[in-house]
Amino acid sequence: MKFLDQAKIYVKSGDGGDGVVAFRREKYIEFGGPDGGNGGRGGDIIFEAVDNLNTLIDFRYTQHFRARKGGNGAGSDRTGAAAATVVIKVPIGTQIFDEDRETMLGDLDEAGKKLLLCRGGDGGRGNAHFKTSTNRAPRRADKGWPGEERWVWLRLKLIADVGLVGLPNAGKSTFLSTVSAARPKIADYPFTTLHPQLGVVRLSVTEEFVIADIPGLIEGAHEGSGLGDRFLGHVERCAVLLHLIDGTAETEEVLAAWRTIRHELREYGGGLADKPEIIVLNKIDALLPEEIEERVTALEQACGQKIMTMSSVAHMHVDTVLRRLQDYVTRDRAEKAEQHKAETPEA
């Protein structure tokens, strides 16, 4: 299945049914009077987040969604049938923007969350509705109200606990394949990862988290260089960033790699530069102890925090890194649970 994280679609709710002009005509009943029924409501357009989708690829082939018109009224005071609601199912983490791509209309970040985007039109009134003591035989009936229509942009931000960032060939895909069942493409050339990948890490029966691997960033990504920074949105919701740096490069190149990624995160915005970050010197199986110490010391002086080391291929210190990630994820979940509890009014 191809990955697609942006799509533009057209949605239109149903028009209301028309009211009708009708009169009761029965033998032995004089002056039956008006009995034209009202029209039925048009169908609504509702978006719903479901947990069995992870791409917007379906919207590449189906881009127009229209709800049906409500049924027209009928004689004997019969109201027209209401049209069925059209439910558009999207992956969890889908944001809905207006056509200007800036005004957010909804953020479906939980399974089962719904958004009524376009309300169906109300049905028109039949002539029975307009009967009064002075107007015993009205011949007026209203047309149904029109539904709403608009073009909207869908943008998917994957729901993950940990975001993998780093330059191309930093070993992100190898790390993801080592710690999870994900099988991303791995090769010895840059940009083997062309779209985000998700992997589930299970440390124990009760401890697990989701890692999102995005295509590597290069200098000038915020200006569109390489694959640009469009995939950084998938790590905006993460509790912590795991920044992998290729340890086989020279010390100056290692420092330059760290500075490049930090600069791109700041330029992108979205609070990424302020997220907790674990910096890991990767591929240490190919380094001598003194080379590892030199690079770690230089990085710690530059960034002012403790640097971890690891080799995904040799599985060196991988468990230590995963435990550190789990600690951040557990703490973040506890804080969100407390916040949700504080915001939820007691019954």
Side-chain angles (χ1 to χ4, degrees):
M1 180 183 292
K2 293 184 178 180
F3 182 84
L4 187 71
D5 61 351
Q6 292 189 65
K8 185 180 182 182
I9 64 173
Y10 170 83
V11 291
K12 183 184 186 306
S13 58
D15 298 337
D18 300 334
V20 297
V21 174
F23 293 90
R24 187 176 183 182
R25 308 286 188 187
E26 290 185 41
K27 192 175 183 181
Y28 307 122
I29 297 180
E30 294 182 282
F31 312 114
D35 66 352
N38 302 329
R41 282 199 62 231
D44 298 331
I45 298 289
I46 291 179
F47 285 85
E48 180 182 6
V50 295
D51 56 8
N52 59 347
L53 296 175
N54 58 10
T55 176
L56 299 176
I57 189 64
D58 293 340
F59 299 102
R60 172 171 290 178
Y61 309 106
T62 305
Q63 299 174 333
H64 296 78
F65 296 86
R66 294 181 175 89
R68 291 184 176 275
K69 176 185 175 183
N72 295 333
S76 300
D77 275 330
R78 286 175 293 177
T79 300
T85 297
V86 173
V87 179
I88 303 175
K89 296 183 178 180
V90 295
I92 301 173
T94 301
Q95 294 178 328
I96 303 173
F97 290 88
D98 202 358
E99 193 172 5
D100 60 9
R101 303 183 73 169
E102 294 181 358
T103 305
M104 184 185 296
L105 305 176
D107 187 1
L108 306 180
D109 56 355
E110 296 179 0
K113 194 171 183 179
K114 296 181 180 181
L115 172 68
L116 173 60
L117 188 65
C118 294
R119 185 178 182 277
D122 291 328
R125 302 293 188 180
N127 68 332
H129 177 78
F130 299 103
K131 182 178 68 172
T132 65
S133 59
T134 57
N135 185 7
R136 307 296 294 175
R139 283 174 168 74
R140 170 188 169 185
D142 292 344
K143 303 286 286 183
W145 290 88
E148 301 173 345
E149 60 180 322
R150 66 198 311 167
W151 284 90
V152 294
W153 279 92
L154 306 181
R155 184 184 180 191
L156 174 61
K157 291 184 178 181
L158 296 176
I159 303 296
D161 300 301
V162 177
L164 275 177
V165 296
L167 293 179
N169 274 7
K172 301 187 299 298
S173 296
T174 302
F175 174 75
L176 185 65
S177 65
T178 299
V179 302
S180 72
R183 292 293 174 263
K185 183 178 180 180
I186 301 173
D188 59 354
Y189 55 83
F191 295 114
T192 53
T193 300
L194 299 178
H195 55 78
Q197 300 276 349
L198 289 180
V200 180
V201 178
R202 289 185 175 87
L203 295 185
S204 66
V205 177
T206 59
E207 294 179 313
E208 70 175 32
F209 57 87
V210 179
I211 295 181
D213 173 25
I214 65 172
L217 301 173
I218 64 174
E219 186 175 0
H222 66 282
E223 297 175 344
S225 298
L227 293 178
D229 60 4
R230 58 167 292 193
F231 294 115
L232 279 176
H234 295 291
V235 297
E236 284 186 20
R237 306 180 192 267
C238 295
V240 59
L241 299 178
L242 180 61
H243 184 173
L244 296 187
I245 300 177
D246 184 358
T248 61
E250 296 296 329
T251 303
E252 293 76 12
E253 295 174 349
V254 167
L255 293 174
W258 172 76
R259 293 191 181 100
T260 297
I261 297 301
R262 290 303 303 173
H263 175 70
E264 296 305 324
L265 294 178
R266 285 193 297 270
E267 290 297 322
Y268 175 81
L272 285 183
D274 301 323
K275 281 188 176 294
E277 179 185 29
I278 298 176
I279 304 174
V280 178
L281 187 70
N282 197 17
K283 305 182 182 180
I284 62 170
D285 58 312
L287 299 176
L288 297 173
E290 53 270 22
E291 292 176 324
I292 297 175
E293 183 179 359
E294 177 187 354
R295 288 159 174 73
V296 168
T297 301
L299 275 174
E300 289 181 343
Q301 291 177 351
C303 66
Q305 72 179 70
K306 184 174 178 57
I307 305 299
M308 303 186 73
T309 59
M310 176 185 71
S311 172
S312 302
V313 173
H315 215 280
M316 298 172 60
H317 306 160
V318 172
D319 292 338
T320 304
V321 173
L322 293 180
R323 173 49 58 189
R324 183 91 176 274
L325 292 173
Q326 182 66 64
D327 292 342
Y328 274 99
V329 172
T330 302
R331 191 181 309 120
D332 180 72
R333 290 173 179 172
E335 292 175 356
K336 289 182 178 178
E338 286 294 328
Q339 181 180 359
H340 179 72
K341 184 178 179 180
E343 294 176 350
T344 303
E346 297 182 0

